[in-house]
Amino acid sequence: MTTAQTAPPVLEAEDVAVHYGGIKAVDGFGLRLPAGKIYGILGPNGSGKSTFLAAVTRLVPLTRGRLLIDGREYHTESPTTLARKGLARTFQTVRLLPELTVLENVQLGADTNASGGRLRSWLGRDKPSEAVEEAIERTGLGDVRSAWPGELSYGMARRVEIARALAARPRLLLLDEPTAGMNHSERQEVSELMRKLRDEGLAQLIVEHDVQMMVDTCDHLVAMNSGTLVAEGSPSEVVSHPAVQEAYLGKRWRSHA
Ligand SMILES: Nc1ncnc2c1ncn2[C@@H]1O[C@H](COP(=O)(O)OP(=O)(O)OP(=O)(O)O)[C@@H](O)[C@H]1O
């Protein structure tokens, strides 16, 4: 058996529950995300997707369950340790600092992983680190590296967010609705970028309302409803699953499978 076959998943969530008083936002959900794969979490509004991401990034405490990165439990540790463990994320809304250039915004991502939390972007404006140059190159932002966020299209601004996360050199990238508010061609570009990053070995977990984009992008889908797992498998299996059809019927998406 090879090392790759025996390696633990990059991310493992086991029987995760997050309750807010009597509201069971997540209640016994889990997944095992291997290296170099794109997994997507699908589910109607209020099904618990964002709460699960918040749990994975340690922004909300678990009521029950376990979280592991590379086989090591981390669900009692501070969210500030996650970058060093190889986990980075992007947010639903674009959060670039308008007074910093694209390059400097991306540098912030590298700084979160630097020893002593040193902020190079503000202190002395040193030469960008190798990780920043690499992130800019991987996301195709070379031509706009000196631009200000206000000068960018929405799609480009989202790309800078991804570059900033990559500058921390993660092994796992969590993307919360990465194509929200984008037009068709911008969505396709982001999907292409994710698949390119996957082919370079980066594991990704996506939460996204655009089901077609998930089908086109993900290697594996996990469907949630009412805080629990209702279906899991290849994108075509999951979108044709009766429980998923029922959750979406007449809403955002009708079967393309
Ligand atoms: N801080 C909170 N306090 C109380 N209830 C909450 C809190 N956050 C989420 N909930 C509830 O938990 C459930 C799951 O919400 P969550 O936002 O995780 O779903 P979601 O699948 O991400 O929805 P959407 O697709 O609309 O973002 C919902 O019933 C929501 O109202």
Side-chain angles (χ1 to χ4, degrees):
M1 201 175 260
T2 65
T3 314
Q5 283 168 318
T6 54
V10 176
L11 175 70
E12 185 168 6
E14 202 182 278
D15 190 29
V16 165
V18 178
H19 297 175
Y20 297 108
I23 298 170
K24 296 179 176 177
V26 179
D27 196 32
F29 184 74
L31 53 77
R32 291 164 60 86
L33 168 52
K37 295 283 179 199
I38 306 177
Y39 274 34
I41 304 181
L42 205 68
N45 291 329
S47 56
K49 306 178 298 293
S50 301
T51 305
F52 177 69
L53 267 201
V56 167
T57 50
R58 297 284 304 120
L59 297 178
V60 296
L62 299 189
T63 305
R64 188 178 79 232
R66 296 197 321 150
L67 294 167
L68 302 93
I69 290 179
D70 294 325
R72 284 187 289 277
E73 277 190 6
Y74 72 95
H75 56 266
T76 53
E77 294 182 28
S78 155
T80 57
T81 65
L82 295 185
R84 284 197 295 281
K85 293 185 197 306
L87 192 154
R89 71 166 296 174
T90 65
F91 293 88
Q92 268 182 29
T93 50
V94 174
R95 298 182 177 189
L96 300 178
L97 294 183
E99 70 278 18
L100 299 183
T101 64
V102 164
L103 185 76
E104 289 163 344
N105 268 284
V106 176
Q107 179 72 54
L108 287 179
D111 293 341
T112 61
N113 216 3
S115 56
R118 186 164 159 261
L119 290 176
R120 294 167 63 123
S121 321
W122 282 311
L123 302 177
R125 313 250 159 155
D126 299 353
K127 190 168 161 285
S129 64
E130 205 182 296
V132 172
E133 294 293 2
E134 190 184 282
I136 297 256
E137 197 256 302
R138 285 172 92 187
T139 50
L141 288 169
D143 291 347
V144 294
R145 54 193 284 140
S146 304
W148 303 102
E151 297 170 334
L152 302 177
S153 68
Y154 185 69
M156 274 300 208
R158 284 216 161 242
R159 198 172 271 261
V160 178
E161 291 245 295
I162 295 173
R164 183 168 60 189
L166 292 179
R169 290 195 161 142
R171 297 191 55 235
L172 168 62
L173 177 59
L174 308 180
L175 298 128
D176 195 356
E177 298 197 22
T179 65
M182 286 188 177
N183 62 33
H184 181 68
S185 72
E186 287 173 334
R187 282 205 300 273
Q188 276 188 328
E189 278 174 29
V190 169
S191 172
E192 246 170 59
L193 173 61
M194 285 174 195
R195 284 178 278 139
K196 171 179 166 283
L197 296 173
R198 184 260 324 268
D199 294 344
E200 292 168 4
L202 180 67
Q204 293 158 77
L205 179 62
I206 311 177
V207 168
E208 175 63 65
H209 279 295
D210 181 343
V211 180
Q212 194 58 52
M213 186 270 179
M214 295 281 262
V215 169
D216 295 341
T217 312
C218 295
D219 298 303
H220 186 94
L221 291 182
V222 184
M224 268 185 118
N225 206 2
S226 305
T228 61
L229 185 146
V230 294
E232 170 169 28
S234 71
S236 58
E237 278 165 1
V238 170
V239 296
S240 54
H241 191 284
V244 177
Q245 291 278 317
E246 193 183 329
Y248 278 95
L249 201 67
K251 294 184 180 170
R252 295 171 181 278
W253 194 75
R254 289 177 190 275
S255 174
H256 294 189

